[in-house]
Amino acid sequence: MNRTVKEAAQVLGIAENQLRAHLRSINALNRDGTLAARHIGGGKLFMDSRVTTPKRLGIRKHYAVLKVTEAGIDWLAKQLGIDITEVPAKDSAA
């Protein structure tokens, strides 16, 4: 499941601004909040393109949302020193 930065921060138990600051410190984010080129296609972070049509503008507005993959959650937790408890899969036959 891919998550927004806000959702990823909640999973990791930290504030969104703290996670964004960490991503900037490791040069994963550009100053404008977009994904740095070296992380595109890396399987941990990606930009999800979106579009909306605000009534007051009357035209389509395109924007991108930074998303974190499950592999990205593990990667970030390791970098931040956050332990993630692994729960064994439940038996589906029960």
Side-chain angles (χ1 to χ4, degrees):
M1 178 176 159
N2 300 322
R3 303 169 193 274
T4 63
V5 174
K6 182 177 184 175
E7 293 167 342
Q10 289 173 343
V11 168
L12 294 169
I14 60 175
E16 178 184 0
N17 60 354
Q18 185 181 357
L19 180 54
R20 285 186 184 275
H22 173 71
L23 290 170
R24 281 191 196 91
S25 74
I26 62 169
N27 296 319
L29 289 183
N30 296 321
R31 288 184 180 167
D32 63 356
T34 59
L35 188 60
R38 67 183 181 144
H39 289 281
I40 295 173
K44 297 176 181 106
L45 305 167
F46 68 98
M47 297 299 291
D48 186 23
S49 299
R50 307 264 176 104
V51 65
T52 187
T53 307
K55 289 183 181 182
R56 64 182 174 82
L57 294 178
I59 58 172
R60 292 166 54 101
K61 180 181 178 212
H62 297 271
Y63 63 101
V65 175
L66 180 64
K67 302 282 268 196
V68 182
T69 64
E70 290 298 321
I73 297 285
D74 290 333
W75 175 68
L76 288 167
K78 187 179 230 182
Q79 287 185 348
L80 295 166
I82 297 170
D83 291 327
I84 297 178
T85 305
E86 189 162 339
V87 179
K90 294 187 179 191
D91 185 16
S92 60

Coordinates of all heavy atoms in Angstrom, one line a residue:
M1 N 0.8 -1.2 0.0 CA 0.0 0.0 0.0 C 0.9 1.2 0.0 O 1.8 1.4 0.8 CB -0.9 0.0 1.2 CG -1.8 1.2 1.4 SD -2.8 0.9 2.8 CE -3.3 2.6 3.1
N2 N 0.7 2.1 -0.9 CA 1.4 3.3 -1.0 C 0.7 4.4 -0.2 O -0.5 4.5 -0.1 CB 1.5 3.8 -2.5 CG 2.2 2.8 -3.4 OD1 3.1 2.2 -3.0 ND2 1.7 2.6 -4.6
R3 N 1.6 5.2 0.5 CA 1.0 6.2 1.5 C 1.6 7.6 1.2 O 2.7 7.7 0.6 CB 1.5 5.8 2.9 CG 1.1 4.4 3.3 CD 1.8 4.0 4.6 NE 1.6 2.6 4.9 CZ 0.6 2.1 5.5 NH1 -0.4 2.9 5.9 NH2 0.5 0.8 5.8
T4 N 0.8 8.6 1.5 CA 1.3 9.9 1.4 C 2.3 10.1 2.5 O 2.5 9.3 3.4 CB 0.1 11.0 1.6 OG1 -0.4 10.8 3.0 CG2 -1.0 10.8 0.6
V5 N 3.0 11.2 2.4 CA 4.1 11.5 3.5 C 3.4 11.7 4.8 O 3.9 11.2 5.8 CB 4.9 12.8 3.1 CG1 5.8 13.2 4.2 CG2 5.6 12.6 1.8
K6 N 2.2 12.2 4.9 CA 1.5 12.4 6.2 C 1.2 11.0 6.7 O 1.4 10.8 7.9 CB 0.2 13.2 6.0 CG -0.5 13.5 7.2 CD -1.7 14.3 7.0 CE -2.5 14.7 8.2 NZ -3.6 15.6 8.0
E7 N 0.7 10.1 5.9 CA 0.3 8.8 6.4 C 1.6 8.0 6.8 O 1.6 7.3 7.8 CB -0.4 8.0 5.3 CG -1.8 8.6 5.0 CD -2.4 8.1 3.7 OE1 -1.7 7.5 2.8 OE2 -3.6 8.2 3.5
A8 N 2.6 8.1 6.0 CA 3.9 7.5 6.3 C 4.4 7.9 7.7 O 4.9 7.1 8.5 CB 4.9 7.7 5.2
A9 N 4.4 9.2 7.9 CA 4.8 9.8 9.2 C 4.0 9.2 10.4 O 4.6 8.9 11.4 CB 4.7 11.3 9.2
Q10 N 2.7 9.0 10.2 CA 1.8 8.5 11.2 C 2.3 7.0 11.5 O 2.3 6.6 12.6 CB 0.4 8.5 10.8 CG -0.2 9.9 10.8 CD -1.6 10.0 10.2 OE1 -2.0 9.1 9.6 NE2 -2.3 11.1 10.5
V11 N 2.5 6.2 10.4 CA 3.0 4.9 10.6 C 4.3 4.8 11.4 O 4.5 3.9 12.2 CB 3.1 4.2 9.2 CG1 3.8 2.8 9.4 CG2 1.7 4.0 8.6
L12 N 5.2 5.7 11.1 CA 6.5 5.7 11.7 C 6.4 6.4 13.1 O 7.4 6.3 13.9 CB 7.5 6.5 10.9 CG 7.8 5.8 9.5 CD1 8.6 6.7 8.6 CD2 8.6 4.5 9.8
G13 N 5.3 7.0 13.4 CA 5.2 7.6 14.8 C 5.9 8.9 14.9 O 6.3 9.3 16.0
I14 N 6.1 9.7 13.8 CA 6.7 11.0 13.9 C 5.8 12.0 13.2 O 4.9 11.7 12.6 CB 8.1 10.9 13.2 CG1 8.0 10.6 11.8 CG2 9.1 10.0 14.0 CD1 9.3 10.6 11.0
A15 N 6.2 13.3 13.4 CA 5.4 14.3 12.7 C 5.8 14.4 11.3 O 6.9 14.1 10.9 CB 5.8 15.7 13.4
E16 N 4.8 14.9 10.5 CA 5.0 15.0 9.0 C 6.2 15.9 8.7 O 7.0 15.6 7.9 CB 3.8 15.5 8.3 CG 3.9 15.7 6.9 CD 2.7 16.3 6.2 OE1 1.7 16.6 6.9 OE2 2.8 16.5 5.0
N17 N 6.3 17.1 9.4 CA 7.4 18.0 9.1 C 8.7 17.4 9.5 O 9.7 17.8 8.9 CB 7.1 19.4 9.8 CG 7.0 19.3 11.3 OD1 7.0 18.2 11.9 ND2 6.9 20.4 12.0
Q18 N 8.8 16.6 10.5 CA 10.0 15.9 10.9 C 10.5 14.9 9.7 O 11.6 14.9 9.4 CB 9.9 15.1 12.2 CG 11.1 14.5 12.7 CD 10.9 13.7 14.0 OE1 9.8 13.7 14.5 NE2 11.9 13.1 14.5
L19 N 9.5 14.2 9.2 CA 9.8 13.3 8.1 C 10.3 14.1 6.8 O 11.2 13.7 6.2 CB 8.6 12.4 7.7 CG 8.8 11.4 6.6 CD1 10.0 10.5 6.8 CD2 7.5 10.6 6.4
R20 N 9.6 15.1 6.5 CA 10.0 16.0 5.4 C 11.4 16.6 5.6 O 12.2 16.6 4.6 CB 9.0 17.1 5.1 CG 7.7 16.6 4.5 CD 6.8 17.7 4.1 NE 5.5 17.2 3.5 CZ 5.3 16.9 2.3 NH1 6.3 17.0 1.4 NH2 4.2 16.4 1.9
A21 N 11.7 17.0 6.8 CA 13.0 17.5 7.1 C 14.1 16.4 6.9 O 15.1 16.7 6.4 CB 13.0 18.1 8.5
H22 N 13.8 15.2 7.3 CA 14.7 14.1 7.1 C 14.9 13.9 5.6 O 16.1 13.7 5.2 CB 14.2 12.9 7.8 CG 15.1 11.7 7.5 ND1 16.4 11.5 8.0 CD2 14.9 10.6 6.7 CE1 16.9 10.4 7.5 NE2 16.0 9.8 6.7
L23 N 13.8 13.8 4.9 CA 13.9 13.6 3.4 C 14.8 14.7 2.7 O 15.5 14.4 1.8 CB 12.6 13.5 2.8 CG 11.8 12.2 3.2 CD1 10.3 12.3 2.7 CD2 12.4 11.0 2.6
R24 N 14.6 15.9 3.2 CA 15.4 17.0 2.7 C 16.9 16.9 3.1 O 17.8 17.1 2.3 CB 14.9 18.4 3.1 CG 13.7 18.8 2.4 CD 13.4 20.3 2.7 NE 12.0 20.6 2.2 CZ 10.9 20.5 2.9 NH1 11.0 20.1 4.2 NH2 9.8 20.7 2.4
S25 N 17.1 16.4 4.3 CA 18.5 16.3 4.8 C 19.3 15.2 4.0 O 20.5 15.3 3.9 CB 18.5 16.0 6.3 OG 18.1 14.7 6.6
I26 N 18.6 14.2 3.5 CA 19.3 13.1 2.8 C 19.2 13.4 1.3 O 19.5 12.5 0.4 CB 18.7 11.7 3.1 CG1 17.2 11.6 2.7 CG2 19.0 11.4 4.6 CD1 16.7 10.2 2.8
N27 N 18.7 14.6 0.9 CA 18.6 15.0 -0.5 C 17.7 14.2 -1.3 O 17.9 14.0 -2.5 CB 20.0 15.1 -1.2 CG 20.9 16.1 -0.5 OD1 20.4 17.2 -0.2 ND2 22.1 15.8 -0.3
A28 N 16.6 13.7 -0.7 CA 15.6 12.9 -1.4 C 14.5 13.9 -1.9 O 13.8 13.5 -2.9 CB 14.9 11.9 -0.5
L29 N 14.4 15.1 -1.3 CA 13.4 16.1 -1.8 C 14.2 17.3 -2.2 O 15.2 17.7 -1.6 CB 12.5 16.5 -0.6 CG 11.5 15.5 -0.2 CD1 10.6 16.1 0.9 CD2 10.6 15.0 -1.3
N30 N 13.6 17.9 -3.3 CA 14.1 19.2 -3.7 C 13.6 20.3 -2.8 O 12.7 20.0 -2.0 CB 13.7 19.5 -5.2 CG 14.4 18.5 -6.1 OD1 15.5 18.1 -6.0 ND2 13.6 18.0 -7.1
R31 N 14.0 21.5 -3.0 CA 13.5 22.6 -2.2 C 12.0 22.9 -2.3 O 11.4 23.3 -1.4 CB 14.3 23.9 -2.5 CG 15.7 23.9 -2.0 CD 16.3 25.2 -2.3 NE 17.7 25.2 -1.8 CZ 18.6 26.1 -2.1 NH1 18.3 27.1 -2.9 NH2 19.8 26.0 -1.6
D32 N 11.5 22.6 -3.5 CA 10.1 22.8 -3.7 C 9.2 21.6 -3.3 O 8.0 21.6 -3.5 CB 9.8 23.1 -5.2 CG 10.2 22.0 -6.1 OD1 10.7 21.0 -5.7 OD2 9.9 22.1 -7.3
G33 N 9.8 20.6 -2.7 CA 9.1 19.4 -2.2 C 8.9 18.3 -3.2 O 8.3 17.3 -2.8
T34 N 9.4 18.4 -4.4 CA 9.4 17.4 -5.3 C 10.5 16.4 -5.1 O 11.5 16.7 -4.5 CB 9.4 17.9 -6.8 OG1 10.7 18.6 -6.9 CG2 8.3 18.8 -7.1
L35 N 10.3 15.2 -5.7 CA 11.3 14.1 -5.5 C 12.5 14.4 -6.3 O 12.5 14.8 -7.5 CB 10.6 12.8 -6.0 CG 11.4 11.5 -5.8 CD1 11.6 11.3 -4.3 CD2 10.6 10.4 -6.3
A36 N 13.7 14.2 -5.7 CA 15.0 14.4 -6.3 C 15.1 13.4 -7.4 O 14.7 12.2 -7.3 CB 16.1 14.3 -5.3
A37 N 15.8 13.7 -8.5 CA 15.9 12.9 -9.7 C 16.5 11.5 -9.4 O 16.1 10.5 -9.9 CB 16.8 13.6 -10.7
R38 N 17.5 11.5 -8.5 CA 18.2 10.2 -8.2 C 17.3 9.2 -7.5 O 17.6 8.0 -7.4 CB 19.4 10.4 -7.4 CG 19.2 10.9 -6.0 CD 20.5 11.1 -5.3 NE 20.3 11.6 -3.9 CZ 21.0 11.3 -2.9 NH1 22.1 10.5 -3.1 NH2 20.7 11.7 -1.7
H39 N 16.1 9.6 -7.0 CA 15.2 8.7 -6.3 C 14.0 8.3 -7.2 O 13.2 7.4 -6.8 CB 14.7 9.3 -5.0 CG 15.7 9.4 -3.9 ND1 16.1 8.4 -3.2 CD2 16.5 10.5 -3.6 CE1 17.0 8.7 -2.3 NE2 17.3 10.0 -2.5
I40 N 13.9 8.9 -8.4 CA 12.9 8.5 -9.3 C 13.1 7.1 -9.8 O 14.2 6.7 -10.3 CB 12.8 9.5 -10.5 CG1 12.4 10.8 -9.9 CG2 11.8 9.0 -11.5 CD1 12.4 12.0 -11.0
G41 N 12.1 6.2 -9.7 CA 12.3 4.8 -10.1 C 13.0 3.9 -9.1 O 13.3 2.8 -9.4
G42 N 13.3 4.4 -7.9 CA 14.0 3.7 -6.9 C 13.2 2.7 -6.1 O 13.7 1.8 -5.4
G43 N 11.9 2.8 -6.2 CA 11.0 1.8 -5.5 C 10.6 2.2 -4.1 O 9.9 1.4 -3.5
K44 N 11.1 3.3 -3.6 CA 10.8 3.7 -2.2 C 9.9 5.0 -2.2 O 9.0 5.0 -1.3 CB 12.1 4.0 -1.5 CG 13.0 2.7 -1.4 CD 14.3 3.0 -0.7 CE 15.1 1.8 -0.7 NZ 16.2 1.8 -1.6
L45 N 10.2 5.9 -3.1 CA 9.4 7.2 -3.1 C 9.0 7.4 -4.6 O 9.7 7.0 -5.5 CB 10.3 8.3 -2.6 CG 10.9 8.2 -1.2 CD1 12.0 9.3 -1.1 CD2 9.9 8.3 -0.2
F46 N 7.9 8.1 -4.8 CA 7.5 8.4 -6.1 C 6.5 9.6 -6.0 O 5.9 9.8 -5.0 CB 6.9 7.3 -6.9 CG 5.6 6.7 -6.4 CD1 4.4 7.1 -7.0 CD2 5.5 5.8 -5.3 CE1 3.2 6.7 -6.5 CE2 4.3 5.3 -4.9 CZ 3.1 5.8 -5.5
M47 N 6.3 10.3 -7.2 CA 5.4 11.4 -7.3 C 4.1 10.8 -8.0 O 4.3 10.3 -9.1 CB 6.0 12.5 -8.1 CG 7.2 13.2 -7.4 SD 6.9 13.9 -5.8 CE 5.9 15.3 -6.1
D48 N 3.0 11.0 -7.4 CA 1.7 10.6 -8.0 C 1.0 11.8 -8.6 O 0.7 12.8 -7.9 CB 0.8 10.0 -6.9 CG -0.4 9.4 -7.5 OD1 -0.5 9.0 -8.6 OD2 -1.4 9.2 -6.7
S49 N 0.8 11.8 -9.9 CA 0.2 13.0 -10.6 C -1.3 13.0 -10.3 O -2.0 12.0 -10.4 CB 0.4 12.9 -12.1 OG 1.8 12.9 -12.4
R50 N -1.8 14.2 -10.1 CA -3.2 14.4 -9.8 C -3.7 15.6 -10.6 O -3.0 16.4 -11.1 CB -3.5 14.7 -8.3 CG -2.8 13.7 -7.4 CD -3.9 12.6 -7.0 NE -3.3 11.6 -6.1 CZ -3.4 11.5 -4.8 NH1 -4.1 12.4 -4.2 NH2 -2.9 10.5 -4.1
V51 N -5.0 15.7 -10.7 CA -5.7 16.8 -11.4 C -7.0 17.2 -10.7 O -7.7 16.3 -10.2 CB -5.9 16.5 -12.9 CG1 -6.9 15.4 -13.1 CG2 -6.3 17.8 -13.7
T52 N -7.3 18.4 -10.7 CA -8.5 18.9 -10.1 C -9.0 20.1 -11.0 O -8.3 20.7 -11.7 CB -8.4 19.3 -8.6 OG1 -9.7 19.6 -8.1 CG2 -7.5 20.5 -8.5
T53 N -10.3 20.4 -10.9 CA -10.9 21.5 -11.6 C -11.6 22.4 -10.6 O -12.8 22.2 -10.3 CB -11.9 21.1 -12.7 OG1 -11.2 20.1 -13.5 CG2 -12.3 22.2 -13.5
P54 N -10.9 23.4 -10.0 CA -11.5 24.3 -9.0 C -12.6 25.1 -9.7 O -12.3 25.6 -10.8 CB -10.3 25.2 -8.5 CG -9.1 24.5 -8.9 CD -9.4 23.6 -10.1
K55 N -13.7 25.3 -9.1 CA -14.8 26.0 -9.7 C -14.5 27.5 -9.9 O -14.9 28.1 -10.9 CB -16.1 25.9 -8.8 CG -16.7 24.5 -8.8 CD -18.0 24.5 -8.0 CE -18.5 23.1 -8.1 NZ -19.7 22.9 -7.3
R56 N -13.7 28.1 -9.0 CA -13.4 29.5 -9.2 C -12.4 29.7 -10.4 O -12.4 30.8 -10.9 CB -12.8 30.1 -7.9 CG -11.5 29.5 -7.5 CD -11.0 30.1 -6.1 NE -9.9 29.4 -5.6 CZ -8.6 29.7 -6.0 NH1 -8.4 30.6 -6.9 NH2 -7.6 29.0 -5.5
L57 N -11.6 28.7 -10.7 CA -10.7 28.9 -11.9 C -11.4 28.4 -13.2 O -11.1 29.0 -14.2 CB -9.4 28.1 -11.7 CG -8.5 28.5 -10.5 CD1 -7.3 27.6 -10.4 CD2 -8.0 29.9 -10.8
G58 N -12.1 27.3 -13.1 CA -12.8 26.8 -14.3 C -11.9 26.0 -15.2 O -12.3 25.7 -16.3
I59 N -10.7 25.8 -14.9 CA -9.7 25.1 -15.7 C -9.1 24.0 -14.9 O -9.1 24.0 -13.6 CB -8.6 26.0 -16.3 CG1 -7.8 26.7 -15.2 CG2 -9.2 27.0 -17.3 CD1 -6.6 27.4 -15.7
R60 N -8.6 23.0 -15.5 CA -7.9 21.9 -14.8 C -6.6 22.3 -14.2 O -5.8 23.0 -14.9 CB -7.7 20.7 -15.8 CG -9.0 20.0 -16.2 CD -8.9 19.1 -17.4 NE -7.8 18.1 -17.2 CZ -8.1 16.8 -16.9 NH1 -9.3 16.4 -16.7 NH2 -7.1 15.9 -16.8
K61 N -6.3 21.9 -13.0 CA -5.1 22.2 -12.4 C -4.4 20.9 -12.0 O -4.9 20.0 -11.4 CB -5.3 23.0 -11.1 CG -4.1 23.4 -10.3 CD -4.4 24.1 -9.1 CE -3.1 24.4 -8.4 NZ -3.2 24.4 -7.0
H62 N -3.1 20.8 -12.5 CA -2.4 19.6 -12.3 C -1.4 19.8 -11.1 O -0.8 20.9 -11.0 CB -1.6 19.2 -13.6 CG -2.5 18.9 -14.7 ND1 -2.9 17.6 -15.0 CD2 -3.0 19.7 -15.7 CE1 -3.7 17.7 -16.0 NE2 -3.7 18.9 -16.5
Y63 N -1.2 18.7 -10.4 CA -0.2 18.8 -9.3 C 0.3 17.4 -9.0 O -0.3 16.4 -9.5 CB -0.8 19.4 -8.0 CG -2.0 18.7 -7.4 CD1 -1.9 17.9 -6.3 CD2 -3.3 18.8 -8.0 CE1 -2.9 17.2 -5.8 CE2 -4.4 18.1 -7.4 CZ -4.2 17.3 -6.3 OH -5.2 16.7 -5.8
A64 N 1.3 17.2 -8.1 CA 1.8 15.9 -7.8 C 1.9 15.8 -6.3 O 2.1 16.7 -5.6 CB 3.2 15.8 -8.4
V65 N 1.7 14.5 -5.8 CA 1.7 14.2 -4.4 C 2.9 13.2 -4.2 O 3.0 12.2 -4.9 CB 0.4 13.6 -4.0 CG1 0.5 13.1 -2.5 CG2 -0.7 14.5 -4.2
L66 N 3.7 13.5 -3.2 CA 4.8 12.6 -2.9 C 4.2 11.4 -2.1 O 3.5 11.5 -1.2 CB 5.8 13.3 -2.0 CG 7.0 12.5 -1.5 CD1 7.9 12.0 -2.7 CD2 7.9 13.2 -0.5
K67 N 4.6 10.2 -2.6 CA 4.1 9.0 -2.0 C 5.3 8.1 -1.5 O 6.4 8.2 -2.1 CB 3.2 8.2 -3.0 CG 2.0 8.9 -3.5 CD 0.9 9.0 -2.6 CE 0.0 7.9 -2.9 NZ -1.3 7.9 -2.3
V68 N 5.0 7.3 -0.5 CA 6.0 6.4 0.0 C 5.5 4.9 -0.1 O 4.4 4.6 0.2 CB 6.3 6.7 1.5 CG1 7.3 5.7 2.1 CG2 6.6 8.1 1.7
T69 N 6.3 4.0 -0.7 CA 5.9 2.6 -0.8 C 6.2 1.9 0.5 O 6.8 2.4 1.4 CB 6.7 2.0 -2.0 OG1 8.1 1.9 -1.6 CG2 6.6 2.7 -3.3
E70 N 5.8 0.6 0.5 CA 6.0 -0.2 1.7 C 7.5 -0.4 1.9 O 8.0 -0.3 3.0 CB 5.3 -1.6 1.6 CG 3.8 -1.5 1.7 CD 3.3 -0.9 3.1 OE1 3.9 -1.3 4.1 OE2 2.4 -0.2 3.0
A71 N 8.3 -0.6 0.8 CA 9.7 -0.7 0.9 C 10.3 0.6 1.4 O 11.3 0.6 2.2 CB 10.3 -1.0 -0.5
G72 N 9.7 1.7 1.1 CA 10.1 3.1 1.5 C 9.9 3.2 3.0 O 10.7 3.9 3.7
I73 N 8.8 2.7 3.6 CA 8.6 2.7 5.0 C 9.7 2.0 5.7 O 10.2 2.6 6.7 CB 7.2 2.1 5.4 CG1 6.0 2.9 4.7 CG2 7.0 2.0 6.9 CD1 5.7 4.2 5.4
D74 N 10.0 0.8 5.3 CA 11.1 0.1 5.9 C 12.4 0.8 5.8 O 13.2 0.9 6.8 CB 11.3 -1.3 5.3 CG 10.1 -2.2 5.6 OD1 9.5 -2.1 6.6 OD2 9.8 -3.1 4.8
W75 N 12.7 1.4 4.7 CA 13.9 2.1 4.4 C 14.0 3.3 5.3 O 15.1 3.6 6.0 CB 13.9 2.5 3.0 CG 15.0 3.4 2.5 CD1 16.4 3.1 2.4 CD2 14.9 4.8 2.0 NE1 17.1 4.2 1.9 CE2 16.2 5.2 1.6 CE3 13.8 5.6 1.9 CZ2 16.4 6.5 1.1 CZ3 14.1 6.9 1.4 CH2 15.4 7.3 1.0
L76 N 12.9 4.1 5.5 CA 12.9 5.3 6.3 C 13.1 4.9 7.8 O 13.8 5.5 8.6 CB 11.6 6.1 6.1 CG 11.6 6.8 4.8 CD1 10.2 7.3 4.5 CD2 12.6 8.0 4.8
A77 N 12.3 3.8 8.2 CA 12.4 3.4 9.6 C 13.9 3.0 10.0 O 14.3 3.4 11.1 CB 11.5 2.2 9.8
K78 N 14.5 2.3 9.1 CA 15.9 1.9 9.3 C 16.8 3.2 9.5 O 17.6 3.3 10.4 CB 16.4 1.1 8.2 CG 17.8 0.5 8.4 CD 18.1 -0.4 7.2 CE 18.6 -1.7 7.7 NZ 19.0 -2.6 6.6
Q79 N 16.6 4.2 8.6 CA 17.4 5.4 8.6 C 17.2 6.2 9.9 O 18.1 6.8 10.5 CB 17.1 6.3 7.4 CG 17.7 5.8 6.2 CD 17.4 6.8 5.0 OE1 16.7 7.7 5.2 NE2 18.1 6.5 3.9
L80 N 15.9 6.2 10.3 CA 15.5 7.0 11.5 C 15.7 6.2 12.8 O 15.4 6.8 13.9 CB 14.1 7.5 11.4 CG 13.8 8.4 10.2 CD1 12.3 8.6 9.9 CD2 14.4 9.8 10.5
G81 N 16.1 5.0 12.8 CA 16.3 4.2 14.0 C 15.0 3.8 14.6 O 14.9 3.6 15.9
I82 N 13.9 3.6 13.9 CA 12.6 3.3 14.4 C 12.4 1.8 14.2 O 12.6 1.2 13.1 CB 11.5 4.0 13.6 CG1 11.7 5.5 13.9 CG2 10.1 3.6 14.1 CD1 10.8 6.4 13.0
D83 N 12.1 1.1 15.3 CA 11.8 -0.4 15.2 C 10.4 -0.6 14.8 O 9.5 0.0 15.3 CB 12.0 -1.0 16.6 CG 13.5 -1.0 17.0 OD1 14.4 -1.1 16.1 OD2 13.8 -0.9 18.2
I84 N 10.2 -1.5 13.9 CA 8.9 -1.9 13.4 C 8.7 -3.3 13.8 O 9.5 -4.2 13.5 CB 8.8 -1.8 11.9 CG1 8.9 -0.3 11.5 CG2 7.4 -2.3 11.4 CD1 8.9 -0.1 10.0
T85 N 7.6 -3.6 14.6 CA 7.3 -4.9 15.0 C 6.7 -5.7 13.9 O 5.7 -5.3 13.3 CB 6.3 -4.8 16.2 OG1 6.8 -4.0 17.2 CG2 6.0 -6.2 16.8
E86 N 7.3 -6.9 13.6 CA 6.8 -7.7 12.6 C 5.8 -8.7 13.2 O 6.1 -9.4 14.1 CB 7.9 -8.5 11.9 CG 7.4 -9.2 10.6 CD 8.5 -9.5 9.7 OE1 9.6 -8.9 9.8 OE2 8.3 -10.4 8.9
V87 N 4.6 -8.7 12.7 CA 3.5 -9.6 13.2 C 3.4 -10.8 12.2 O 3.3 -10.6 11.0 CB 2.2 -8.8 13.2 CG1 1.1 -9.8 13.7 CG2 2.3 -7.6 14.1
P88 N 3.5 -12.0 12.7 CA 3.4 -13.2 11.8 C 2.0 -13.2 11.2 O 1.0 -12.8 11.7 CB 3.5 -14.4 12.8 CG 3.4 -13.9 14.1 CD 3.6 -12.4 14.1
A89 N 2.0 -13.7 9.9 CA 0.7 -13.8 9.2 C -0.2 -14.8 9.8 O 0.3 -15.9 10.3 CB 1.0 -14.2 7.7
K90 N -1.5 -14.5 9.9 CA -2.4 -15.4 10.5 C -2.7 -16.5 9.5 O -2.7 -16.3 8.3 CB -3.7 -14.7 10.8 CG -3.5 -13.6 11.9 CD -4.8 -13.1 12.4 CE -4.5 -12.1 13.5 NZ -5.7 -11.6 14.2
D91 N -3.1 -17.7 10.0 CA -3.4 -18.8 9.2 C -4.7 -18.6 8.5 O -5.7 -18.4 9.2 CB -3.4 -20.1 10.1 CG -3.6 -21.4 9.3 OD1 -3.4 -21.3 8.0 OD2 -4.0 -22.4 9.9
S92 N -4.7 -18.7 7.2 CA -5.9 -18.4 6.5 C -6.9 -19.5 6.5 O -8.1 -19.4 6.1 CB -5.6 -18.0 5.0 OG -5.0 -19.1 4.4
A93 N -6.5 -20.7 7.0 CA -7.4 -21.9 7.0 C -8.4 -21.8 8.2 O -9.4 -22.5 8.2 CB -6.6 -23.1 7.1
A94 N -8.1 -21.0 9.2 CA -8.9 -20.9 10.4 C -10.3 -20.3 10.2 O -10.9 -19.9 9.5 CB -8.2 -20.2 11.5

